[in-house]
Amino acid sequence: MWLNPEEVLLKNALKLWVTERSNDFFLLQRRRGHGEPTGRISGLLVGALDSVLDSNARVSPFRILLQVPGSQVSWVVASGAAVEEVKKHWDWLVHNLLCSLSVFENKEDVASFVRGKVRGLIAEEVRGRQAAQEVEPEKFREALVRFELHFGLPASEKLVTYYSCCCWKGRVPRQGFLYLSINHAAFYSFLLGKEVKFVIPWAEVTWLERVSGGLMTDAVRIKTRHRQREFSMFLNPDEAFGVIGQLADIALRRLLDSEGLEVDRVLQQPARITKRILEEQALREYVLALFRLPRSECLHEVASCSVWTPHARCHTAGTLYATDGYLCFSSREEGVCMLLIPLSEVLSVEKAESTALLPNPVIVSVRTKKAFQLIELQARDQLVENVSSRLRALQWKKSTFRSKRSASAPTPYYTFYYDTGPSDEDEMEEQVLRNTVNSEALMTAFHQKQPGADQGAEREKERRWEEHFSEFGRGVHMFRTDKMHRLVAMGIPESLRGHLWMTLSDASSELEAHQGYYASMVQKSMGHSSLATEEIERDLHRSLPDHPAFQNPTGIAALRRVLTAYAHRNPKIGYCQSMNILASVLLLYTKEEEAFWLLVAVCERMLPDYFNRRVIGAQVDQSVFEQLIRERLPELAERVPDVSALSSVSLSWFLTLFLSVLPFLSAVRVVDCFFLHGINAIFRLALTAVEANAAPLSACTDDGQALMILASFLDQVGSEESPCPPSSPPAAEDASTAQNPGSTIGDVPAVRHTNITDLINESHERFGDLTVRQVESLRCRHRIRVLQSHEDTTKDNALRVVTPDVSIPAETLSAVYDLFKMEHLISLYWGDGSSAAAAEAAAWRPGVERQYRLDRPQFKSLYGLLAPWAADAHQHADTLANRTFTLLDQDGDSLVTFREFTGWLDTLYCEELNEKIRLLYRLHIPPALTESEDEPSLMKSPPMSTNRPLCVTRPSGAAAGEPDYQEQLKQMLKDLGRQREKDVEKPVPLMNQREFIQFCKTLYSMFHGDPEENELFQAIAHVTSLVLQIGEAGHRGSGSEVGVEWTVSFAQIVASLLTEQTLVNFFEKPVDLSAKVAAAKEKQYHQRAGLLSLQRAPR
């Protein structure tokens, strides 16, 4: 293959290469040892070196060098695994370039000319192979064969990509290949006769990071709960780290929280995931976050271009992103200039005549009689055709919707009511008020006049915004530049605030596209009662309780309608605390229907995953914030012992956009910035607040003090509209300061008053370089940590519930949980998605904590790994596993919980002999033993006689002095007094003749392979004979009819077993459960993989 020319200082360093052909400008070389007789020491050494050094030019056995006469520097221009491949490249160079090179006088020109030609050939190959690369080229197919051969995973375990790398063990590198599949990272190395291989499930990954130190430079560290691995790649380390992070994030979202966290529909089908799809998905996530688009948008085209920016009077270079419903432009430097054009606003997309100054121009015309000019568009014709096609489809859909609306019933009549003061004479019915939809913002009726508010300043703001609109445009498709940030930082005038919130969030497009939707949601949701509506009613009067709008039934009713309608629209989110505060502020500045669509934009686009049942998104951003503190404020991070305390204090900042911690008018200014910059505005402001209090935070001794410091600081942040009042009476403060200058009040340092405008500007200056791309990359990694933290909590809760009921040591119980969970995950990896456990995993019920359960095949797999007694017949072991599952499945849902599973293990490994026998006894009576269990061969040739005592030859001398069986039974029954009392409380049904035969068969199968096998067989024969005698004696004594089966009790069987010390020793012999679990972990993966492969194989 052609290679991007790479310098080689020594053409034949260490004599590793043998020259096969040469001319004045090119060398064709063969790797020493390749093609030579085997066994030569030089070939072995070079082969070992090739495994350690990772480069295509070095590993490939043939290469072509470009050499310039008189120069010590050469360039590798091609390489190949076979001589035929390299000869083709050699012949091309000789026939097409060699003659041309002789005319160059300057040596540098020769090298530059050849390098340019080779790069052109590479570009042609890339364009020609783009489609073929997705259909698994030859090298990928070879890697896939090696992956399947080395690790033996099912064919459904799709390999996504692979990298040559070094795996570090301490300071020792091990060269090999890292294979990345949909569920695992797998490493394989074979060097100097030693094989190393291991598999890391993505579901066990807890953290990913880049590390450097010593010999290990820029390595990828993958951490699990039990160990960590470092991998260093010579080629494409950034790409490898990104793919590893994506695969781990996707797998954890799909396996651990498929319902709570949204996964793209393409990624929900793991078999469709390829490296190219991952790249497209990463770009799509970035575009959705940058422009805060609906999550349903698909990215179709990406093209470099330049847009004419009238305010700058020039073309601004950047990238155009075309999605289902939008044309998005971003300058090369993120945030300098952005443009968002909804296709619903577009009239036409047309090509213009291309000129030297305006190459490949495209004109986008919008409804406001405005046009945007794009030039230098790559693949212009195809892009215009695609966008025009989507535009026509959208226009047809809108026209169809209009015709349906005109033919349908008229829009519901809205009534409007504002009660600005209490009135005993004119009270409105609660039910009428509930159905009222307000057409104006609440602030118009409940305006709070702030003392000292400057109306002149408000008019000045309005004037500046009008000037901005005339220069940069008005509406969703206005240019968003740094000048807009400065205007927003100064404060949006109240008269424009609602309009700009709708514009900046593009909630206006959603409202226009869904006329009448909110009214229908209100009608459908009112009167319905659910957990969400109960929580909403509880929080209604806690939403801005000091504002007059929410001291009035009108405001409360509007808030109820918005929250209830949203809960009805999105039952997956329903209602989450802090949504009431956000909705309250939105209602103050926008109409009720607009407030609803703004809430939709915030919850579903601008703060994704924030308001699900476990607030995952907010916790992820807390973890990101913690890392940003370490990176951006390293001095503070060094002095503060626990940075995580600072991030936990800030949780309410992110959930409520500072509305719960800042004075109201200052907090509204933060919301202004949020609608312009998204979550980055909150990150920047939070970092600035922490940095401003670095000194007192460094001196604080506990989390409570840190909370008080930050709360006091934020409480003093005022605005121009409402100067912040002092936190304590001036006289008291002066007295306190006079008595003890420099003192603190309540152990909290006194803080200076801060203006919100200064704070916003400072946050932009200090941390304005924090980009959306950086935040999205951090979120991807930190989501892994947060999800695993939730898994740890789930595990701790499960162990806490189970621990009081079992005697299994805590460490072993933890390992059993891991085994139990992994069995569930393995079925999700490769099993049939319709299985009961997979369906249960997806069936999240509100208010119920996640709980892993196993279905019958999963339980049978663990039964085979953990049962303490081996069975001599696989069929009988399978029968026992089925009966055990039926016995444990007490609620009849065909699933076994971890509590039921550990109770079974505890009985087998930790309980006394009586409980073990009780379990075996219950496995051979209903409900575990069913009437439909058909074993005719057992009844045709039973292992013993059923109508007469069994005669067994006793060892010589055993009969002398032996007590009579009846005497023995009396003694044993006395010793079982406690057990009989237990049986009175929980009576166990009698066992009939057929069930006893099954019981005997199980006992015989349990002794297979035991060192005392013969003695155990003899002992069970004696016990069987004894029980038969007891059963038949009881049958005759009761005067039962002939032909009716006799029965025995549990106590009689236990007493009979206790007569044989060999059996007693067998059941009381301790078995190491921890060793059994450790062995099961080693076998579980490959055993289940093999079984599932057989189940999925075509018949």
Side-chain angles (χ1 to χ4, degrees):
M1 72 174 74
W2 297 107
L3 299 176
N4 197 29
E6 178 185 356
E7 285 190 5
V8 180
L9 294 179
L10 298 175
K11 287 181 285 188
N12 200 6
L14 303 178
K15 303 295 182 182
L16 299 177
W17 295 92
V18 178
T19 300
E20 296 283 328
R21 298 183 184 184
S22 65
N23 54 44
D24 291 341
F25 295 98
F26 299 104
L27 296 174
L28 191 157
Q29 295 185 332
R30 171 179 55 83
R31 190 70 165 167
R32 186 176 295 279
H34 185 81
E36 298 176 356
T38 57
R40 285 193 177 186
I41 186 66
S42 61
L44 292 175
L45 289 174
V46 173
L49 188 62
D50 286 341
S51 296
V52 174
L53 299 177
D54 178 33
S55 170
N56 287 334
R58 297 189 185 104
V59 173
S60 299
F62 297 96
R63 71 178 183 179
I64 297 176
L65 296 182
L66 164 66
Q67 62 173 4
V68 178
S71 174
Q72 293 297 315
V73 178
S74 299
W75 289 268
V76 181
V77 296
S79 68
V83 66
E84 293 80 8
E85 179 186 2
V86 179
K87 281 183 177 179
K88 288 181 181 178
H89 295 332
W90 176 267
D91 293 341
W92 189 92
L93 291 170
V94 170
H95 292 110
N96 294 280
L97 290 186
L98 193 59
C99 296
S100 303
L101 297 180
S102 59
V103 302
F104 287 95
E105 296 181 0
N106 193 333
K107 298 175 183 178
E108 293 182 359
D109 292 343
V110 172
S112 178
F113 177 75
V114 174
R115 292 200 301 269
K117 281 289 184 182
V118 171
R119 290 192 183 102
L121 292 170
I122 293 172
E124 287 293 329
E125 283 189 353
V126 168
R127 281 194 292 268
R129 289 186 325 209
Q130 273 182 347
Q133 284 178 352
E134 289 302 311
V135 194
E136 295 184 348
E138 193 61 34
K139 283 192 174 182
F140 187 83
R141 248 192 307 276
E142 292 175 2
L144 180 60
V145 170
R146 293 196 300 268
F147 174 70
E148 294 175 348
L149 177 67
H150 296 326
F151 302 101
L153 298 176
S156 58
E157 182 65 19
K158 181 179 175 63
L159 178 65
V160 176
T161 188
Y162 66 100
Y163 296 94
S164 179
C165 68
C166 284
C167 178
W168 292 82
K169 186 177 181 181
R171 291 190 159 191
V172 179
R174 189 83 190 178
Q175 180 66 29
F177 286 92
L178 181 65
Y179 299 91
L180 305 179
S181 68
I182 53 177
N183 295 308
H184 305 84
F187 177 78
Y188 181 84
S189 171
F190 186 84
L191 189 64
L192 297 178
K194 186 176 180 181
E195 182 183 59
V196 174
K197 65 178 179 179
F198 54 83
V199 173
I200 306 174
W202 296 127
E204 292 186 2
V205 173
T206 57
W207 182 237
L208 298 171
E209 61 182 336
R210 302 278 286 272
V211 293
S212 295
L215 299 174
M216 186 169 52
T217 56
D218 201 19
V220 176
R221 174 175 290 164
I222 302 178
K223 285 187 177 182
T224 65
R225 290 181 177 84
H226 305 294
R227 65 175 307 162
Q228 63 186 32
R229 303 274 191 180
E230 288 87 17
F231 305 93
S232 57
M233 292 86 173
F234 289 97
L235 299 175
N236 306 318
D238 296 330
E239 176 192 291
F241 185 68
V243 172
I244 290 171
Q246 273 188 280
L247 287 172
D249 176 48
I250 292 167
L252 286 172
R253 282 192 284 170
R254 179 171 52 86
L255 297 171
L256 302 185
D257 201 352
S258 60
E259 288 298 302
L261 297 175
E262 292 187 7
V263 181
D264 188 80
R265 57 179 177 270
V266 175
L267 303 180
Q268 289 174 353
Q269 305 173 24
R272 296 181 58 186
I273 296 177
T274 64
K275 183 180 175 183
R276 183 174 179 178
I277 284 180
L278 289 179
E279 293 170 353
E280 293 174 353
Q281 183 66 16
L283 182 58
R284 174 181 173 271
E285 292 286 343
Y286 167 68
V287 172
L288 294 185
L290 180 63
F291 297 96
R292 300 182 287 281
L293 303 181
R295 308 301 295 176
S296 58
E297 287 290 305
C298 293
L299 181 63
H300 294 290
E301 291 90 20
V302 180
S304 298
C305 69
S306 295
V307 171
W308 174 254
T309 48
H311 57 274
R313 299 187 180 279
C314 66
H315 283 91
T316 301
T319 305
L320 178 71
Y321 305 96
T323 70
D324 291 331
Y326 295 87
L327 291 176
C328 313
F329 173 82
S330 176
S331 56
R332 288 177 179 172
E333 185 180 349
E334 184 180 297
V336 172
C337 179
M338 290 176 59
L339 180 64
L340 180 66
I341 309 175
L343 286 185
S344 58
E345 296 286 323
V346 175
L347 293 176
S348 64
V349 179
E350 300 172 325
K351 294 180 288 185
E353 185 178 354
S354 183
T355 65
L357 294 177
L358 301 175
N360 297 332
V362 171
I363 306 298
V364 180
S365 303
V366 296
R367 291 190 300 178
T368 56
K369 298 182 180 180
K370 189 175 181 180
F372 298 92
Q373 184 189 72
L374 294 80
I375 63 172
E376 300 175 340
L377 267 168
Q378 300 174 354
R380 177 184 68 160
D381 295 346
Q382 186 65 41
L383 187 143
V384 170
E385 181 182 347
N386 293 343
V387 173
S388 298
S389 175
R390 291 196 292 273
L391 180 59
R392 287 192 297 270
L394 181 64
Q395 291 171 344
W396 176 84
K397 184 178 178 181
K398 288 173 66 176
S399 63
T400 305
F401 177 72
R402 286 197 197 100
S403 62
K404 286 184 177 179
R405 282 198 63 204
S406 60
S408 62
T411 305
Y413 176 72
Y414 291 176
T415 57
F416 316 112
Y417 172 71
Y418 291 107
D419 182 11
T420 55
S423 174
D424 297 332
E425 303 172 358
D426 190 9
E427 281 194 14
M428 200 166 230
E429 292 285 340
E430 177 68 17
Q431 190 61 35
V432 175
L433 195 57
R434 282 174 180 263
N435 294 325
T436 301
V437 177
N438 299 330
S439 65
E440 297 294 337
L442 293 179
M443 192 64 83
T444 59
F446 301 97
H447 185 73
Q448 281 184 309
K449 291 186 178 180
Q450 300 297 330
D454 189 354
Q455 296 301 319
E458 193 76 2
R459 286 192 294 271
E460 176 64 19
K461 289 180 186 179
E462 292 175 359
R463 184 189 64 79
R464 290 188 180 186
W465 274 101
E466 290 300 330
E467 290 179 353
H468 184 271
F469 292 147
S470 63
E471 185 178 1
F472 292 85
R474 183 188 294 267
V476 176
H477 43 68
M478 63 182 168
F479 288 98
R480 307 181 190 194
T481 64
D482 195 56
K483 185 176 179 181
M484 179 177 281
H485 162 76
R486 292 194 295 272
L487 283 176
V488 170
M490 292 171 60
I492 299 176
E494 282 193 8
S495 59
L496 295 174
R497 178 164 280 139
H499 167 71
L500 281 171
W501 285 1
M502 293 291 291
T503 299
L504 295 174
S505 65
D506 192 37
S508 55
S509 297
E510 292 287 311
L511 188 152
E512 184 180 357
H514 299 85
Q515 292 291 330
Y517 178 86
Y518 174 66
S520 67
M521 285 293 103
V522 170
Q523 291 177 356
K524 292 176 182 177
S525 61
M526 283 301 170
H528 289 274
S529 178
S530 64
L531 179 63
T533 57
E534 292 175 6
E535 293 176 346
I536 289 170
E537 290 297 328
R538 187 172 60 246
D539 287 347
L540 284 176
H541 295 277
R542 304 176 186 174
S543 310
L544 302 184
D546 296 331
H547 199 284
F550 300 101
Q551 297 170 352
N552 187 283
T554 302
I556 295 297
L559 180 60
R560 176 187 293 112
R561 287 191 297 271
V562 169
L563 292 176
T564 308
Y566 184 79
H568 192 77
R569 163 192 165 86
N570 192 344
K572 185 182 292 187
I573 291 178
Y575 171 76
C576 180
Q577 283 188 350
S578 78
M579 286 173 64
N580 59 322
I581 299 176
L582 292 174
S584 301
V585 175
L586 299 178
L587 282 167
L588 288 175
Y589 295 99
T590 61
K591 301 174 185 178
E592 188 174 318
E593 187 173 12
E594 293 175 339
F596 171 80
W597 286 110
L598 279 173
L599 186 64
V600 170
V602 171
C603 294
E604 299 176 12
R605 294 194 275 121
M606 305 185 74
L607 296 177
D609 301 326
Y610 259 59
F611 301 102
N612 57 23
R613 63 180 174 277
R614 297 194 289 178
V615 211
I616 294 291
Q619 294 184 52
V620 170
D621 281 350
Q622 294 312 293
S623 189
V624 171
F625 181 53
E626 180 181 339
Q627 180 166 341
L628 290 175
I629 292 175
R630 297 182 189 279
E631 293 177 355
R632 301 298 184 108
L633 307 173
E635 295 181 0
L636 174 64
E638 289 178 3
R639 293 196 295 266
V640 175
D642 186 12
V643 177
S644 61
L646 297 179
S647 64
S648 62
V649 165
S650 65
L651 179 61
S652 63
W653 303 357
F654 287 81
L655 276 173
T656 65
L657 308 180
F658 283 91
L659 288 167
S660 63
V661 291
L662 282 173
F664 176 74
L665 291 178
S666 300
V668 171
R669 298 276 296 279
V670 175
V671 178
D672 295 342
C673 296
F674 169 75
F675 279 116
L676 176 62
H677 294 296
I679 195 63
N680 280 24
I682 308 301
F683 276 120
R684 294 167 185 167
L685 199 64
L687 286 170
T688 306
V690 170
E691 185 182 38
N693 293 275
L697 287 174
S698 301
C700 68
T701 56
D702 56 51
D703 298 353
Q705 192 173 2
L707 174 63
M708 291 297 296
I709 290 170
L710 292 171
S712 299
F713 170 80
L714 293 172
D715 193 48
Q716 301 298 318
V717 177
S719 65
E720 295 84 352
E721 297 88 347
S722 176
C724 191
S727 58
S728 59
E733 187 175 336
D734 292 343
S736 173
T737 307
Q739 291 175 5
N740 188 9
S743 67
T744 62
I745 302 174
D747 296 330
V748 178
V751 294
R752 67 184 187 279
H753 296 178
T754 306
N755 186 277
I756 186 63
T757 303
D758 297 336
L759 199 65
I760 291 172
N761 287 329
E762 185 180 353
S763 70
H764 190 70
E765 292 172 7
R766 288 280 292 113
F767 307 106
D769 59 336
L770 180 64
T771 64
V772 171
R773 193 180 296 275
Q774 292 171 349
V775 170
E776 288 303 302
S777 176
L778 290 172
R779 277 176 164 178
C780 180
R781 292 163 52 201
H782 285 269
R783 192 180 296 111
I784 296 171
R785 171 177 284 177
V786 170
L787 285 174
Q788 294 290 19
S789 175
H790 278 274
E791 285 297 299
D792 291 340
T793 302
T794 301
K795 177 180 178 178
D796 292 341
N797 292 339
L799 296 180
R800 185 164 52 250
V801 170
V802 168
T803 299
D805 300 333
V806 299
S807 303
I808 302 174
E811 185 176 349
T812 305
L813 192 62
S814 174
V816 170
Y817 181 90
D818 294 339
L819 202 68
F820 188 88
K821 174 183 171 181
M822 183 53 65
E823 188 65 33
H824 175 89
L825 294 178
I826 287 174
S827 291
L828 294 182
Y829 292 159
W830 311 306
D832 183 2
S834 63
S835 66
E840 186 275 337
W844 284 86
R845 295 183 297 276
V848 178
E849 187 180 2
R850 181 186 182 94
Q851 185 181 27
Y852 291 109
R853 297 178 174 89
L854 299 185
D855 61 9
R856 190 178 294 270
Q858 295 165 342
F859 175 81
K860 286 165 67 175
S861 173
L862 283 187
Y863 181 95
L865 293 170
L866 294 178
W869 305 308
D872 61 346
H874 174 74
Q875 182 178 358
H876 191 66
D878 188 72
T879 301
L880 282 180
N882 275 315
R883 291 179 191 166
T884 306
F885 181 86
T886 304
L887 183 65
L888 296 181
D889 181 22
Q890 298 176 0
D891 53 5
D893 60 355
S894 298
L895 296 168
V896 169
T897 65
F898 180 65
R899 186 171 191 169
E900 294 164 344
F901 183 79
T902 51
W904 168 70
L905 275 184
D906 184 65
T907 300
L908 292 181
Y909 284 91
C910 303
E911 289 286 0
E912 297 178 352
L913 177 143
N914 293 342
E915 290 303 316
K916 295 177 182 179
I917 302 302
R918 176 189 288 269
L919 176 61
L920 286 173
Y921 183 92
R922 294 180 64 196
L923 289 177
H924 297 83
I925 59 175
L929 182 69
T930 60
E931 293 294 333
S932 60
E933 195 170 306
D934 187 17
E935 291 189 85
S937 59
L938 193 68
M939 301 307 295
K940 288 179 181 177
S941 53
M944 63 204 71
S945 172
T946 60
N947 56 11
R948 60 185 176 82
L950 185 67
C951 297
V952 183
T953 305
R954 299 284 288 172
S956 58
E962 184 175 319
D964 182 70
Y965 278 137
Q966 299 296 330
E967 295 296 326
Q968 221 173 36
L969 280 174
K970 289 179 182 178
Q971 182 63 35
M972 296 304 170
L973 289 173
K974 289 179 182 179
D975 296 337
L976 290 173
R978 235 180 251 178
Q979 185 63 40
R980 284 202 302 271
E981 292 176 5
K982 206 171 185 181
D983 290 339
V984 171
E985 297 174 3
K986 297 181 180 179
V988 180
L990 297 177
M991 180 180 284
N992 63 31
Q993 184 175 345
R994 171 181 172 269
E995 294 162 356
F996 179 69
I997 293 172
Q998 295 282 342
F999 182 78
C1000 293
K1001 180 179 178 181
T1002 298
L1003 290 178
Y1004 272 98
S1005 68
M1006 288 166 52
F1007 306 141
H1008 179 70
D1010 192 276
E1012 299 182 358
E1013 184 175 356
N1014 292 332
E1015 291 81 357
L1016 288 168
F1017 280 143
Q1018 289 187 359
I1020 197 59
H1022 285 291
V1023 170
T1024 303
S1025 177
L1026 178 58
V1027 174
L1028 286 172
Q1029 291 182 53
I1030 295 172
E1032 292 184 357
H1035 184 69
R1036 289 193 297 268
S1038 63
S1040 301
E1041 298 179 6
V1042 178
V1044 178
E1045 291 186 340
W1046 50 259
T1047 58
V1048 291
S1049 68
F1050 167 69
Q1052 291 169 332
I1053 289 181
V1054 171
S1056 302
L1057 287 171
L1058 291 176
T1059 61
E1060 292 294 334
Q1061 190 61 41
T1062 308
L1063 289 174
V1064 173
N1065 294 339
F1066 175 81
F1067 283 107
E1068 291 186 342
K1069 179 172 60 178
V1071 182
D1072 188 357
L1073 177 58
S1074 59
K1076 196 80 173 177
V1077 171
K1081 281 188 175 181
E1082 297 293 327
K1083 299 176 185 177
Q1084 183 183 30
Y1085 239 60
H1086 293 290
Q1087 173 178 306
R1088 283 288 280 159
L1091 288 174
L1092 290 169
S1093 295
L1094 289 174
Q1095 292 172 9
R1096 295 169 67 94
R1099 297 181 182 178

